[in-house]
Amino acid sequence: MKSFTGFFFLLFCICSCDFHETQTSRDCIYSAIVVDLTGMDGCGFVFQLDNGDYLEPVWRWGWCGTPPLPEGATEDPLWNFDYVDGQRVRLGFETAEEGGSICMVGEQVYVTCLEVIGEEAVSVRIE
């Protein structure tokens, strides 16, 4: 009887785990639109994935741009990226573990790959 109870306890523990897999990739496999949310408190430009989810890009090296720059900063995909509202892009990303968002429209991410694939597209706005 103990092994039977132990089996069900183990089964319960396994079934109660959250196996939700976050969408992440270092390769440019996700299509998105650049959306300008600068009119909302604490927001700037975000990426809206084709499934409607929003990604808030954060810079891996903090916010201070005074010299000397951290090693690798100029290789970051966002280093010289020109945000244009409605622009179509392909991107890869990793979830940013630290920090909180003032904007709170989507998940904060480190962009690992970024390619412009079109100049303008229709974007859905958050009102």
Side-chain angles (χ1 to χ4, degrees):
M1 184 68 173
K2 285 183 181 181
S3 64
F4 186 71
T5 305
F7 171 75
F8 278 108
F9 177 73
L10 181 63
L11 184 63
F12 173 77
C13 289
I14 292 172
C15 291
S16 66
C17 292
D18 183 13
F19 290 107
H20 174 72
E21 186 174 321
T22 303
Q23 296 178 345
T24 61
S25 175
R26 290 191 151 291
D27 299 323
C28 288
I29 61 171
Y30 297 103
S31 297
I33 299 170
V34 176
V35 179
D36 182 1
L37 297 181
T38 56
M40 295 177 61
D41 285 344
C43 292
F45 286 93
V46 297
F47 296 106
Q48 182 183 18
L49 297 175
D50 287 345
N51 69 2
D53 291 346
Y54 286 90
L55 303 176
E56 297 179 35
V58 294
W59 204 43
R60 193 177 301 266
W61 292 278
W63 304 106
C64 184
T66 58
L69 289 172
E71 185 175 323
T74 58
E75 284 82 36
D76 188 285
L78 297 176
W79 175 252
N80 281 325
F81 181 69
D82 186 24
Y83 292 91
V84 176
D85 189 35
Q87 189 174 49
R88 299 255 336 138
V89 296
R90 255 191 224 102
L91 56 90
F93 61 90
E94 296 174 354
T95 301
E97 297 298 327
E98 74 277 343
S101 169
I102 296 172
C103 184
M104 298 187 297
V105 296
E107 180 179 12
Q108 287 189 316
V109 296
Y110 298 125
V111 175
T112 58
C113 177
L114 187 59
E115 299 172 352
V116 175
I117 57 174
E119 289 306 312
E120 290 189 26
V122 176
S123 62
V124 177
R125 297 254 184 224
I126 297 176
E127 299 294 331

